Amino acid sequence: QVQLVESGGGSVQTGESLRLSCAASGTIFSASVMGWYRQAPGKQRELVAVITPGGPTNYADSVKGRFTISRDNAKNTVYLQMNSLEPDDTAVYYCHLRIVTLRNGYWGKGTLVTVSS
């Protein structure tokens, strides 16, 4: 019953910004660890950023200082602000939710981000 819907992807040029959103339904969002992952063509899916229910965050080294993950529990939404985008950021970005007391998580269907020079 959990549903995650990403939005905000698109095509931009190097140096521009995008903000991705992921709206969650069907679960207790405030008790969930939320993450953004990405998968580029020919590469494995990798963790981009994660935010815990209490607020602490972690980022992949490749995006640290450029991307910011945040959450709005009142809106059941997690965001990924992406600044100074680079061609290597091109990927399908997936939202992930895991309730902290459970083992399994849920995936969104993804949103494509394309960065061209």
Side-chain angles (χ1 to χ4, degrees):
Q1 295 183 14
V2 175
Q3 185 177 16
L4 304 174
V5 180
E6 301 102 332
S7 62
S11 298
V12 298
Q13 296 182 353
T14 298
E16 295 182 343
S17 299
L18 283 173
R19 190 179 77 159
L20 306 183
S21 299
C22 174
S25 62
T27 189
I28 302 176
F29 179 84
S30 61
S32 300
V33 177
M34 300 299 301
W36 286 98
Y37 292 72
R38 68 185 181 186
Q39 187 166 19
K43 296 186 177 181
Q44 295 182 345
R45 188 173 299 184
E46 64 175 349
L47 177 66
V48 176
V50 62
I51 184 167
T52 66
T57 59
N58 280 291
Y59 299 89
D61 289 341
S62 59
V63 307
K64 199 169 186 178
R66 300 187 297 119
F67 291 10
T68 302
I69 188 172
S70 61
R71 66 193 298 158
D72 186 338
N73 288 339
K75 297 181 178 179
N76 287 358
T77 301
V78 63
Y79 306 94
L80 184 67
Q81 178 67 45
M82 304 184 294
N83 297 328
S84 301
L85 283 164
E86 304 168 353
D88 285 347
D89 296 319
T90 296
V92 177
Y93 284 72
Y94 297 91
C95 179
H96 184 265
L97 179 152
R98 182 180 65 82
I99 299 175
V100 295
T101 57
L102 300 177
R103 293 184 294 273
N104 297 329
Y106 301 89
W107 293 98
K109 293 184 177 181
T111 184
L112 177 63
V113 173
T114 301
V115 185
S116 59
S117 59

